[in-house]
Amino acid sequence: MLTMQDVRKVYRTEHVETHALSHFSIAVNEGEFVSVMGPSGSGKTTFLNIAGLLDAFDEGTYTLDGVDVSRLSDREMSKVRNEKIGFIFQTFNLIPDLNVFDNVDVPLRYRGLGAASRKQAIEEALATVGLSARYKHYPSQLSGGQQQRVAIARALVGQPKLILADEPTGNLDSAMASEIMDLLEKINSSGATVVMVTHDPELANRASRQIHLLDGKLIDLAQERPAPLYDPSPAGQAV
Ligand SMILES: Nc1ncnc2c1ncn2[C@@H]1O[C@H](COP(=O)(O)OP(=O)(O)OP(=O)(O)O)[C@@H](O)[C@H]1O
Ligand SMILES: [Mg+2]
């Protein structure tokens, strides 16, 4: 579904160069639910933004759904993003001047679909997230959890193959967070691949696989595990 090989991303400002990702490689299979953990600044958002074609990178290759998307023009990136990817952000990122229905309509407007088929898709997406009754509300009239559910409806309305979520529960209390996680699991079991950044180990544990970033690289936690108390192998006895 998603393969990155030796990806490097450097942010340059006047005084500093930050290697946000270096020699970063990963493969995510179709249908997986992957959680991404790691300390602040380790490159999680950078990884997701590159995966979501929101940001370019300096070196390496990225294949998405069988297509090499390493060097696309902005226009081509937008097209692939609109067709294949749904993004969910920590701060919901809804458009305040649009009601719930129109917010969910945004990705469909790029697709030249007729009003009737858009309406049907929007109603289905709102039903999936349990917000059918709120379609005329504006974001400011909704709770945080409800706003995030609208954002999820917007992410899934175009039936993307890949859902990318950057700390989707970071601004929510634990009960709401768990509900959002239930929804992401439901979306995953209906076929979408999900990659979710989280700082919450309990939520991360619910994913089918966990990955960990440190200093812009994937780390293998198996090698970082503390040594067992008793190691019967010859190597263990040699110490
Ligand atoms: N636009 C930018 N310009 C300069 N440096 C940046 C930019 N975006 C990110 N960085 C730097 O790249 C590194 C990785 O940032 P990133 O946002 O990917 O971290 P993160 O793992 O998502 O952290 P957090 O858990 O705090 O969200 C950090 O050192 C950050 O300061
Ligand atoms: Mg981040």
Side-chain angles (χ1 to χ4, degrees):
M1 168 85 241
L2 178 168
T3 311
M4 289 185 187
Q5 194 71 46
D6 272 330
V7 163
R8 177 199 291 272
K9 173 72 183 176
V10 184
Y11 288 110
R12 290 186 180 84
T13 59
E14 217 179 309
H15 301 291
V16 269
E17 242 186 26
T18 307
H19 293 252
L21 294 178
S22 58
H23 299 294
F24 182 86
S25 300
I26 187 172
V28 176
N29 296 320
E30 194 145 357
E32 272 196 295
F33 191 137
V34 177
S35 64
V36 183
M37 300 194 73
S40 183
S42 58
K44 303 180 299 296
T45 294
T46 305
F47 160 51
L48 236 60
N49 286 347
I50 290 174
L53 302 175
L54 292 172
D55 212 348
F57 52 98
D58 299 287
E59 280 173 34
T61 56
Y62 174 21
T63 308
L64 174 66
D65 199 23
V67 179
D68 184 350
V69 293
S70 310
R71 305 280 176 266
L72 297 182
S73 68
D74 284 352
R75 206 190 161 85
E76 291 165 328
M77 274 212 239
S78 306
K79 187 165 187 294
V80 175
R81 195 187 316 133
N82 183 255
E83 284 170 2
K84 299 197 175 174
I85 299 166
F87 228 107
I88 302 163
F89 303 89
Q90 178 174 359
T91 50
F92 323 136
N93 291 17
L94 299 174
I95 299 172
D97 299 340
L98 297 181
N99 67 25
V100 164
F101 185 95
D102 290 337
N103 262 288
V104 178
D105 191 22
V106 168
L108 299 180
R109 288 187 163 263
Y110 288 99
R111 292 199 186 182
L113 290 169
S117 52
R118 287 198 341 248
K119 183 166 183 282
Q120 193 186 344
I122 294 164
E123 284 170 355
E124 277 171 24
L126 287 175
T128 301
V129 302
L131 279 179
S132 301
R134 296 273 198 287
Y135 72 99
K136 281 188 170 166
H137 281 59
Y138 285 83
S140 62
Q141 299 169 324
L142 300 172
S143 72
Q146 288 170 336
Q147 290 183 53
Q148 192 60 303
R149 284 194 273 150
V150 176
I152 292 174
R154 179 183 58 186
L156 62 84
V157 72
Q159 301 191 318
K161 289 191 157 182
L162 177 63
I163 299 273
L164 301 171
D166 194 354
E167 299 191 48
T169 64
N171 284 10
L172 304 175
D173 65 39
S174 60
M176 292 248 204
S178 188
E179 277 178 28
I180 293 298
M181 191 66 192
D182 293 344
L183 253 181
L184 291 173
E185 283 172 345
K186 182 161 125 187
I187 295 163
N188 175 241
S189 57
S190 67
T193 306
V194 178
V195 180
M196 176 188 74
V197 172
T198 182
H199 285 285
D200 183 335
E202 232 173 87
L203 297 182
N205 256 325
R206 286 170 61 174
S208 55
R209 176 158 64 110
Q210 292 184 35
I211 62 167
H212 295 258
L213 267 74
L214 188 66
D215 296 335
K217 287 191 185 66
L218 278 193
I219 55 165
D220 184 356
L221 275 192
Q223 292 176 0
E224 299 224 326
R225 238 181 255 152
L229 290 175
Y230 171 66
D231 183 355
S233 70
Q237 287 163 7
V239 179

